[in-house]
Amino acid sequence: MAPSPFVVAIDGPAGSGKSTIARLLARKIGASYLDTGALYRAIAFYLDGRSVPPEEGEPLRCALAELTVSLRGERVFLGDEDVTDRIRTPRVDSIVSRYAALGPVRESLLDLQRSQSRLGPLVADGRDMGTVVFPEADVKIFLSASPEERARRRWRELVDRGETLTCEEVLFQVIRRDRIDSDRTLAPLREAEGAFLVDTTDLSVEEVLSHLCGLMKLDLSGRLGDV
């Protein structure tokens, strides 16, 4: 029997740096990158655009039955439409957690997420990678940072895209999303058993990446070779 593909599962709250780190780590070790947050954003964008409320029921089931979401490299598509750039807005920021808390939404993406690991080594980031989607991942990492630092990071991203929210408004959104993600009944945000916990508040991207590579070498006893 062929060995199972190598998987690194990275979880953490919004603004902890997980997407940036996961993407860079994937490149460094020659793995594919799975941005699960983009998938949930695409679904939220799709449902919100069709005025489907974030609640279980027939409207949600019908809308999901008509939905085709896919990944092409690091681009996200709804049908044949590339929505990668359109899902990174304050509007989607404010609604994605409520849609992501719904069972039918999470179930609709589970097979798609897991199927990515069959294509080869994978680095996946999200909020339930190590607890639900890839509980047998070779390496589990939980990134954190203070709410204030995470808000500053998200605010800078929004300013760079031309948005006009204040840092205080973004901090309110970050705290609100943390509460929704952590308190939901289905797949709440939490540290997976056996995960490395890394606080990125005072670390640069390069420092976080170097630290994770060191942790992985210790954990895997050289399985990855020189990372």
Side-chain angles (χ1 to χ4, degrees):
M1 180 181 296
S4 58
F6 177 81
V7 175
V8 178
I10 302 180
D11 292 310
S16 59
K18 60 184 181 297
S19 295
T20 298
I21 294 301
R23 184 179 289 107
L24 292 173
L25 183 61
R27 293 173 185 170
K28 194 170 184 64
I29 67 175
S32 297
Y33 166 58
L34 173 59
D35 180 359
T36 63
L39 294 175
Y40 283 106
R41 284 174 170 274
I43 288 186
F45 173 79
Y46 166 85
L47 294 172
D48 183 56
R50 285 155 181 76
S51 300
V52 178
E55 56 189 40
E56 295 192 30
E58 192 63 22
L60 178 67
R61 286 191 290 272
C62 290
L64 290 176
E66 298 172 356
L67 169 67
T68 301
V69 59
S70 61
L71 295 167
R72 303 178 193 177
E74 294 186 8
R75 309 298 293 181
V76 185
F77 285 76
L78 288 174
D80 293 324
E81 180 184 5
D82 185 342
V83 297
T84 308
D85 299 323
R86 298 173 65 189
I87 61 178
R88 303 288 181 180
T89 65
R91 172 61 184 174
V92 176
D93 285 348
S94 69
I95 62 175
V96 62
S97 286
R98 296 198 177 278
Y99 285 106
L102 302 175
V105 171
R106 304 197 74 82
E107 290 168 9
S108 71
L109 286 180
L110 191 57
D111 286 342
L112 173 61
Q113 292 175 94
R114 287 177 172 165
S115 70
Q116 303 305 301
S117 69
R118 304 183 195 119
L119 305 177
L122 182 72
V123 177
D125 83 79
R127 285 169 174 73
D128 63 349
M129 294 299 98
T131 55
V132 176
V133 182
F134 300 110
E136 303 301 322
D138 298 83
V139 178
K140 300 176 185 179
I141 298 163
F142 191 93
L143 298 183
S144 68
S146 70
E148 293 77 14
E149 176 60 22
R150 291 188 285 118
R152 281 192 291 270
R153 293 172 184 174
R154 183 56 57 87
W155 175 73
R156 286 194 294 265
E157 291 177 1
L158 293 172
V159 169
D160 289 343
R161 294 204 299 267
E163 304 289 348
T164 59
L165 271 72
T166 66
C167 195
E168 289 74 19
E169 289 173 319
V170 177
L171 176 59
F172 175 81
Q173 289 184 356
V174 164
I175 293 174
R176 175 175 174 272
R177 186 168 182 185
D178 285 351
R179 183 175 64 253
I180 294 172
D181 289 341
S182 299
D183 292 347
R184 68 191 184 205
T185 302
L186 186 64
L189 171 66
R190 61 182 175 83
E191 185 180 346
E193 182 178 355
F196 292 114
L197 176 61
V198 179
D199 188 330
T200 69
T201 302
D202 298 316
L203 300 177
S204 68
V205 170
E206 293 75 16
E207 288 172 330
V208 175
L209 187 61
S210 176
H211 183 54
L212 293 187
C213 287
L215 289 175
M216 291 170 65
K217 283 183 178 180
L218 288 174
D219 184 51
L220 299 171
S221 302
R223 175 172 174 177
L224 287 180
D226 293 328
V227 296

